[in-house]
Amino acid sequence: MQEIDVKKLVQQDAEEFQLFIRSYQRYIYQLTYGVLRHEKDAEDAVQEVFIKIYHALPNYRQEGLKTWVRQISVRHAIDMKRKRSRRSDRDDDLEKASPYLADGESPIDSKLIERSRNEHLARKLQELPENYRVVIHAFYIEEKSYEEISKEHDLELSAVKMRLYRGRQWMKKNWREDEFR
């Protein structure tokens, strides 16, 4: 890796950022690939990580650039993996639901059934206490990461995690599983 002038980098100097990209691209790819285990996803992650880094540069405290880059890269890759996992879980749920649909049912019927389920879910979410509902909706419906929820709702990361945990506990206690079939 070439020597980076961190002061110029923090000031978001274009030439220095280009040098930074050339110097760190392979490193970030290796980190994200290590988590994602998928070439295309890792390539996408590298681009997204550079954008995140660029926007975060003014807040960089100049305490170990490589460590800071590693943290951002790995966290982003983990968030991507979680989102991918949630998406595949939803796809699996839809596939499991499909035997309940009559053979030959039109795609419009499937969409109506899905819309009905979504409306039911939206009504059920309104039953949640407000502080849980906000984070549950952001995490599961909007597919936002802990960090995104934390920033958007001005909450500590630990508060987001705790509200998600307590929200899940509240749902287990107050809702019956058969209401969602």
Side-chain angles (χ1 to χ4, degrees), residues 22-146:
R22 285 191 302 275
S23 298
Y24 278 82
Q25 191 167 12
R26 182 172 172 82
Y27 177 65
I28 293 172
Y29 176 82
Q30 290 171 335
L31 291 169
T32 56
Y33 182 82
V35 173
L36 298 168
R37 297 285 180 209
H38 188 270
E39 286 181 31
K40 179 71 173 126
D41 288 347
E43 289 169 5
D44 291 344
V46 169
Q47 300 303 314
E48 293 166 8
V49 166
F50 278 124
I51 292 168
K52 279 187 172 189
I53 288 171
Y54 184 79
H55 290 294
L57 277 170
N59 299 323
Y60 174 61
R61 289 177 274 161
Q62 300 186 19
E63 298 174 355
L65 182 63
K66 194 169 183 177
T67 302
W68 185 68
V69 167
R70 182 177 59 237
Q71 288 175 337
I72 292 172
S73 302
V74 170
R75 285 179 183 156
H76 183 74
I78 290 169
D79 288 345
M80 281 183 72
K81 190 171 185 172
R82 282 185 187 139
K83 284 180 183 178
R84 186 173 60 192
S85 173
R86 284 197 300 263
R87 243 182 263 121
S88 69
D89 287 349
R90 275 197 212 111
D91 293 346
D92 291 347
D93 290 346
L94 287 174
E95 286 178 25
K96 289 176 187 173
S98 64
Y100 298 108
L101 303 175
D103 285 342
E105 199 168 277
S106 74
I108 294 172
D109 293 338
S110 298
K111 287 181 181 177
L112 288 173
I113 290 169
E114 185 176 347
R115 183 184 307 153
S116 174
R117 284 185 184 144
N118 289 343
E119 289 170 0
H120 175 70
L121 180 59
R123 283 192 303 275
K124 293 301 284 184
L125 283 175
Q126 291 304 311
E127 295 174 10
L128 275 165
E130 175 69 20
N131 58 335
Y132 302 152
R133 181 176 352 137
V134 169
V135 295
I136 293 285
H137 187 273
F139 189 75
Y140 289 105
I141 306 301
E142 298 172 6
E143 296 185 353
K144 294 185 177 174
S145 69
Y146 295 151

